[in-house]
Amino acid sequence: MSILAPYAAQPETSRGRRYAESAPQFRSEYQRDRDRIVHSRAFRRLEYKTQVFVNHEGDLFRTRLTHSLEVAQLGRTIARSLNLNEDLTEAITLAHDLGHTPFGHAGQDGLNQCMKNYGGFEHNLQSLRVVDDLEEKYLDFNGLNLTFETREGILKHCAVAKAKQLGDVAARFLNGEQPGLEAQVANLSDEVAYNNHDIDDGLRAGLITLEQLREQTLFNAHYSMVEALAPKAPGKRLIYETVRRMINAQVTNLIETSQAQLQAMKPKSIEQVRLSEEPLITFSALMYEQHLELKRFLHAHLYRHYRVHRMANKAKTIITHLFEAFMQDTHLLPPQACQHLAQWQAQMGQESGTARVVADYIAGMTDRYAISEHERLFNATTLA
Ligand code: MG
């Protein structure tokens, strides 16, 4: 790894772990975080969770796992170019979606509605809950006992009421501070990854068309260049080449804009970064506008496409049925899901504690597990 910039996260100035541990012998503290994340149960489940397209719809679509790998790859390039901590960036990017429910955003919306009287459900908070509480692998603590910087990066958003309960890791949402630069890189890498891969997946699924995309400034600029270079190339190649050039343009713009900002501001430490009023990792104004244009396009034409919406509607029904059934009778929960029921009931109150345990169980499910659990509970002919 290249020499870290003074504003990078450094293990020596880390705010540390919740439970003290001896320093790793051959790895940095952030490599250890990354390794713990990769070995977690929640990470393996990402393989069978939806990004936009439900897992069984086709083998070529992104899943939460391949999405997370793409985010990590972009994040590492950006971090290394800016002399930031690549290990920390990798840890945050690989963990950022650990708390996602089955069935993508539809699953989250469904579970959030079910939880509205019990503190709600939000995947960022759940990702933090997974690494802080729900993984059970170590003798001395629950969770993965990650460093403050990784946890700070995982908690991308947080409502004020929740921030008050969460303590130091959420303090920035009360103080108007920023997270470290590695967390800022992870956040924008996520956006670049999904904007571009959703174009690719959306075209492959036939839900959006080349004609629609050619009305988008960034896509059209690159598509026109590629088409001029190779007018006879097969359509799929032109699209791949266009998407690859779009990613390159966005990442290059992000690195150059952020580099200029960092050179102007010269923060001397991660603590100074945290005190800045605005994020320091950004696109240029023009690229940001083109990025938003794509995002708006995907919202209107892909995420709200009637075929995606039908699947989303089914997903919400499955989640709601499961939630209601478990709330009515916790004896329907398998033993591994309710072994800490009494503890959460004591901590949060009878009903809220029960709801949280049910939400944890449902959020942990993969798409296919949720579908078969629904089948087992509601199909009278399935007795197993
Ligand atoms: Mg993501």
Side-chain angles (χ1 to χ4, degrees):
M1 183 187 283
S2 51
I3 308 274
L4 291 180
Y7 39 75
Q10 329 250 0
E12 304 76 51
T13 55
S14 170
R15 292 190 184 174
R17 300 178 189 274
R18 295 205 295 168
Y19 308 96
E21 293 186 65
S22 51
Q25 197 181 350
F26 299 109
R27 299 171 291 176
S28 75
E29 294 285 0
Y30 302 125
Q31 276 179 291
R32 174 147 78 177
D33 281 3
R34 189 266 325 271
D35 296 350
R36 286 182 180 184
I37 290 158
V38 170
H39 284 267
S40 68
R41 284 168 13 135
F43 186 75
R44 290 196 293 281
R45 287 173 174 155
L46 294 176
E47 184 174 2
Y48 298 104
K49 291 195 182 200
T50 296
Q51 182 68 24
V52 175
F53 298 89
V54 176
N55 192 254
H56 58 250
E57 289 187 359
D59 291 345
L60 281 178
F61 297 120
R62 269 69 175 186
T63 64
R64 287 266 163 222
L65 180 64
T66 61
H67 161 72
S68 299
L69 295 175
E70 289 186 25
V71 178
Q73 167 258 324
L74 295 175
R76 287 179 57 185
T77 298
I78 299 165
R80 196 188 293 196
S81 307
L82 295 172
N83 297 105
L84 297 175
N85 197 308
E86 196 176 328
D87 297 333
L88 173 59
T89 309
E90 190 180 15
I92 297 169
T93 50
L94 291 178
H96 85 282
D97 272 350
L98 288 180
H100 251 295
T101 59
F103 313 120
H105 282 277
Q108 160 168 293
D109 293 347
L111 195 51
N112 188 33
Q113 266 167 31
C114 294
M115 289 292 287
K116 68 176 185 294
N117 296 326
Y118 312 107
F121 180 90
E122 206 279 317
H123 80 268
N124 268 296
L125 283 170
Q126 190 69 9
S127 297
L128 188 66
R129 188 165 158 80
V130 166
V131 300
D132 278 358
D133 291 304
L134 299 182
E135 286 285 328
E136 296 180 345
K137 312 193 59 162
Y138 299 92
L139 289 178
D140 297 332
F141 44 77
N142 282 336
L144 305 177
N145 197 31
L146 303 181
T147 61
F148 179 90
E149 291 72 28
T150 303
R151 296 170 62 235
E152 158 189 69
I154 290 172
L155 194 62
K156 193 161 71 175
H157 312 287
C158 187
V160 168
K162 276 275 180 247
K164 285 180 182 159
Q165 296 165 16
L166 282 174
D168 60 357
V169 74
R172 76 174 193 272
F173 298 100
L174 304 174
N175 307 336
E177 293 178 3
Q178 305 300 322
L181 295 169
E182 289 79 1
Q184 297 181 30
V185 167
N187 183 15
L188 286 176
S189 302
D190 188 20
E191 301 219 353
V192 172
Y194 69 65
N195 250 355
N196 287 289
H197 65 46
D198 288 353
I199 288 175
D200 182 39
D201 281 352
L203 278 169
R204 183 181 303 108
L207 301 186
I208 53 177
T209 63
L210 182 60
E211 291 66 40
Q212 286 176 316
L213 278 165
R214 294 211 64 177
E215 288 164 23
Q216 314 311 312
T217 316
L218 188 65
F219 184 93
N220 192 48
H222 289 281
Y223 191 85
S224 305
M225 276 191 276
V226 171
E227 206 185 22
L229 281 173
K232 296 209 174 84
K236 274 187 182 172
R237 259 187 211 244
L238 294 180
I239 286 161
Y240 285 135
E241 183 67 28
T242 302
V243 171
R244 134 175 204 272
R245 285 171 183 238
M246 280 169 56
I247 296 174
N248 193 52
Q250 286 171 291
V251 168
T252 304
N253 180 277
L254 194 62
I255 292 170
E256 289 174 354
T257 310
S258 306
Q259 185 75 272
Q261 267 165 180
L262 288 164
Q263 272 163 13
M265 303 276 292
K266 293 191 177 48
K268 291 189 181 60
S269 65
I270 187 171
E271 293 301 337
Q272 270 196 11
V273 168
R274 289 181 173 127
L275 292 174
S276 56
E277 281 180 15
E278 299 291 334
L280 296 171
I281 303 295
T282 60
F283 294 113
S284 68
L286 184 63
M287 183 58 88
Y288 186 59
E289 187 37 55
Q290 296 181 350
H291 169 80
L292 288 185
E293 187 191 349
L294 275 176
K295 228 172 145 164
R296 283 192 294 265
F297 167 77
L298 288 168
H299 269 277
H301 297 279
L302 180 60
Y303 311 141
R304 292 202 199 122
H305 191 284
Y306 86 96
R307 275 172 53 201
V308 174
H309 190 65
R310 279 185 184 188
M311 198 62 231
N313 193 49
K314 261 192 253 183
K316 276 189 196 169
T317 306
I318 292 174
I319 299 278
T320 308
H321 284 170
L322 290 176
F323 185 85
E324 285 169 356
F326 293 131
M327 282 301 280
Q328 267 166 29
D329 182 359
T330 54
H331 294 293
L332 294 172
L333 289 165
Q336 75 272 16
C338 59
Q339 54 184 329
H340 303 299
L341 185 60
Q343 178 210 320
W344 292 110
Q345 285 171 337
Q347 207 169 311
M348 298 175 159
Q350 185 75 14
E351 221 179 317
S352 291
T354 309
R356 190 55 59 186
V357 165
V358 169
D360 287 341
Y361 179 47
I362 293 174
M365 294 178 184
T366 60
D367 297 356
R368 60 187 189 175
Y369 186 88
I371 291 168
S372 52
E373 191 70 336
H374 190 266
E375 184 82 354
R376 283 191 288 269
L377 280 170
F378 294 104
N379 184 346
T381 62
T382 312
L383 292 174

